[in-house]
Amino acid sequence: MNNFAEESNNQSNNKSIQVQYRQRDSGKIIAETIFMEAGLRYLYENPLILKIFNLILNHAVICWLHSKWQDSKGSCKNIEKFAGKYKINLEEIELPISDYPNFNAFFSRRLRVGARDFKKPENILIAPADGKIIVYPDLGIINSIPVKGKHIAIAEILDNTKIANLYQNGSALVIRLSPSDYHRFHFIDDGFALNTRKIKGKYHSVNPIALATVPDIYCRNKRVLTEFHSNNSGHIIYIEVGAFCIGTIIQTFVPGKVYKGQEKGYFKYGGSTIILLFETGIIKFDKDLIIDSTNDLEIQVKAGDKIGKNC
């Protein structure tokens, strides 16, 4: 879906969207506290407002200006309020809350050593980040991800048909990071990582409210791709997808040998998404994730959590 008319046809879907996820530990279905929900619904449920947004605000310069404010000392006043509203676990963060010089520093915070457990056996597939996960065990011969009733071609996401062909009948996972999540992401195995490739794009929200109207966000938004030759899980593609207010995706790794659990990078302010692509017959996702994903229900995971195993 690549035009405004088609976006408008999906507006009615948004009004029935209730954003829920499952807590994996408890099994409870939770209604998500959505960051700026009223604004998101106003934007994506009103065709004229969305058109104005796309014309005027959905550009890199707006995200850059917003990021500069979040880098300023004045943004510190928002940290404590944000942490309280979204129930951020301050016991696991690296520094006392008062030590962060600006909001972006807090948003992209590191965690204390041991806050996430990456020490899993070689055959165990782990989550690369905190967030709400959906898994796709079989991308099929049409090689696409189903999003809100549409099929989003892997070739379009990668902007490369040749590389996309490697993942025909393969698997994928999508982790959506909400603003309250820990926003650093990690390698899921030992291996060899190549240089990143940047693809220019827009800055739509990645929340399900936005996806209901613009399901091809993963093709439209700015993204960064990394080819990763995993020691145990084959040839993997990492895709970090930018979102509104995220003009910067930072890569902290050095291309070459990397290890399981090593930090790969982080997002600055906003919510965003990570997609991993796997070759066919390489991995098998955990059954509970498959069942919930089939029902279009996201599951909360943390970086380092077991989410499957190698075949």
Side-chain angles (χ1 to χ4, degrees), residues 199-237:
I199 300 176
K200 294 181 179 180
K202 294 294 186 178
Y203 299 88
H204 283 285
S205 167
V206 294
N207 190 275
I209 293 172
L211 283 167
T213 298
V214 193
D216 58 347
I217 280 172
Y218 304 145
C219 302
R220 294 192 185 203
N221 278 16
K222 171 184 176 178
R223 49 208 186 275
V224 178
L225 278 59
T226 309
E227 295 185 57
F228 173 46
H229 297 280
S230 162
N231 285 0
N232 300 286
S233 299
H235 186 270
I236 300 169
I237 298 284

Side-chain angles (χ1 to χ4, degrees), residues 28-310:
K28 292 180 180 178
I29 305 298
I30 306 295
E32 183 174 345
T33 302
I34 301 172
F35 184 66
M36 297 179 64
E37 179 176 2
L40 273 178
R41 291 193 181 276
Y42 181 70
L43 171 60
Y44 286 99
E45 292 172 6
N46 291 277
L48 179 59
I49 300 301
L50 181 58
K51 188 173 185 179
I52 293 170
F53 167 74
N54 284 330
L55 288 173
I56 299 174
L57 298 176
N58 198 342
H59 300 287
V61 65
I62 300 299
C63 292
W64 182 83
L65 289 170
H66 190 270
S67 182
K68 283 299 179 184
W69 160 246
Q70 302 301 343
D71 282 335
S72 71
K73 187 175 181 180
S75 66
C76 284
K77 63 183 181 182
N78 298 322
I79 295 176
E80 191 168 350
K81 181 178 178 181
F82 179 87
K85 181 175 181 179
Y86 293 98
K87 299 180 175 60
I88 293 172
N89 183 359
L90 300 181
E91 293 184 0
E92 68 177 14
I93 66 177
E94 181 183 42
L95 303 172
I97 196 169
S98 59
D99 285 4
Y100 291 94
N102 54 59
F103 188 84
N104 245 339
F106 176 76
F107 181 84
S108 58
R109 60 197 175 275
R110 285 190 170 93
L111 303 182
R112 61 173 176 77
V113 176
R116 297 291 179 270
D117 179 16
F118 296 102
K119 295 180 180 179
K120 305 289 194 301
E122 290 182 351
N123 68 322
I124 296 300
L125 179 68
I126 63 172
D130 287 15
K132 284 83 177 174
I133 190 171
I134 290 278
V135 301
Y136 302 95
D138 186 359
L139 299 176
I141 195 168
I142 62 173
N143 205 15
S144 65
I145 293 176
V147 180
K148 303 301 178 184
K150 302 290 183 179
H151 285 275
I152 311 304
I154 297 301
E156 294 293 326
I157 297 174
L158 298 178
D159 194 30
N160 188 306
T161 301
K162 183 178 180 180
I163 296 176
N165 287 339
L166 296 173
Y167 299 96
Q168 191 173 58
N169 295 310
S171 305
L173 65 83
V174 176
I175 295 184
R176 176 175 63 89
L177 289 73
S178 65
S180 58
D181 285 318
Y182 163 63
H183 263 68
R184 293 181 180 252
F185 41 90
H186 300 259
F187 286 103
I188 61 170
D189 193 16
D190 297 343
F192 192 92
L194 305 183
N195 287 312
T196 58
R197 176 167 68 93
K198 297 179 181 179
I199 300 176
K200 294 181 179 180
K202 294 294 186 178
Y203 299 88
H204 283 285
S205 167
V206 294
N207 190 275
I209 293 172
L211 283 167
T213 298
V214 193
D216 58 347
I217 280 172
Y218 304 145
C219 302
R220 294 192 185 203
N221 278 16
K222 171 184 176 178
R223 49 208 186 275
V224 178
L225 278 59
T226 309
E227 295 185 57
F228 173 46
H229 297 280
S230 162
N231 285 0
N232 300 286
S233 299
H235 186 270
I236 300 169
I237 298 284
Y238 269 79
I239 307 161
E240 290 99 36
V241 183
F244 187 56
C245 295
I246 299 185
T248 306
I249 303 170
I250 304 293
Q251 303 293 330
T252 57
F253 80 99
V254 176
K257 290 184 178 180
V258 297
Y259 60 88
K260 192 171 191 172
Q262 178 181 332
E263 181 184 294
K264 183 179 184 293
Y266 64 90
F267 296 105
K268 285 197 173 183
Y269 177 76
S272 200
T273 295
I274 297 169
I275 302 172
L276 265 61
L277 302 176
F278 302 88
E279 297 169 290
T280 183
I282 295 293
I283 57 98
K284 182 178 181 180
F285 293 116
D286 286 345
K287 185 176 181 180
D288 67 316
L289 302 186
I290 294 173
I291 291 172
D292 282 345
S293 296
T294 300
N295 293 317
D296 202 27
L297 178 64
E298 296 175 314
I299 307 95
Q300 178 72 51
V301 295
K302 292 184 177 181
D305 282 358
K306 177 183 178 295
I307 58 172
K309 62 181 180 180
N310 297 327

